[in-house]
Amino acid sequence: MGCGDGQDPKLHEVKRVHEAPDGNEEAWYDGVRSMLEEAYLGADDPFGQSGFRGDAARWGRARRPIVVAIHRDGTFLDIGCANGALMESIVAWAREDGHAVEPYGLDISPKLADLARRRLPEWRDRIHVGNALDWRPPFRFDYARTELVYVPTHRQRQLVKRLLSDVLAPGGRLIICSYGSSRRPTPSAEPVGDLLRSWGYEVAGEAAGRDSNGVVFTRVAWIEAPQLAPKSSA
């Protein structure tokens, strides 16, 4: 489930309806899944199938800042991988920066995961279907990228906590993205780093991407999973 610039504006209506305190979470996920599948599967280019409107140059401005968080070789889980376009790009960009990344994907939509497997048959066994709140990973990852909008607002802190404790390896990095869109009243991406700090997390780093008009349409912040406590000597 990849959200980003150019996503179907009806998606925001689904979220408003189901984020009420008495909202039906199952219906929320069903609605988001349906909207994303309609928008992404209807696109005829790899960026559109990943929830993005624009050419390769604009895609690079919007998504390459994610790689700033990659400081060493390791496994990379893209949560909300959609058609796998970001997985491909992260591998290439990280290589340009001198790091080898082994990509994996997770999406809540079986149809989008299927699309990713068809596009990337060499990685088909690495692309999984599930909800990041309860999905059980085959192992722990060095990096995991996500967006907070993948869950209802009242579940967002739970998502961060869960990924840090159950999905990332000790010392791994949780990379959280926020994307703006020219189709929204406020095009600039939300300051996700400030939100994480307000929840008590120490933000290890931040990066941003600007559109050609100067608008900050991507914000990236990352936090690190705790290291294992040292074993006491006998």
Side-chain angles (χ1 to χ4, degrees), residues 139-158:
F139 56 84
R140 293 176 180 246
F141 298 89
D142 298 302
Y143 303 96
R145 185 216 69 91
T146 192
E147 297 169 51
L148 297 177
V149 296
Y150 292 162
V151 297
T153 302
H154 67 281
R155 295 290 188 194
Q156 291 179 354
R157 292 180 71 169
Q158 178 185 349

Side-chain angles (χ1 to χ4, degrees), residues 69-74 99-101 142-143 170-173:
I70 296 177
H71 61 308
R72 57 182 172 84
D73 298 353
H99 300 301
V101 166
D142 298 302
Y143 303 96
R173 285 188 169 178

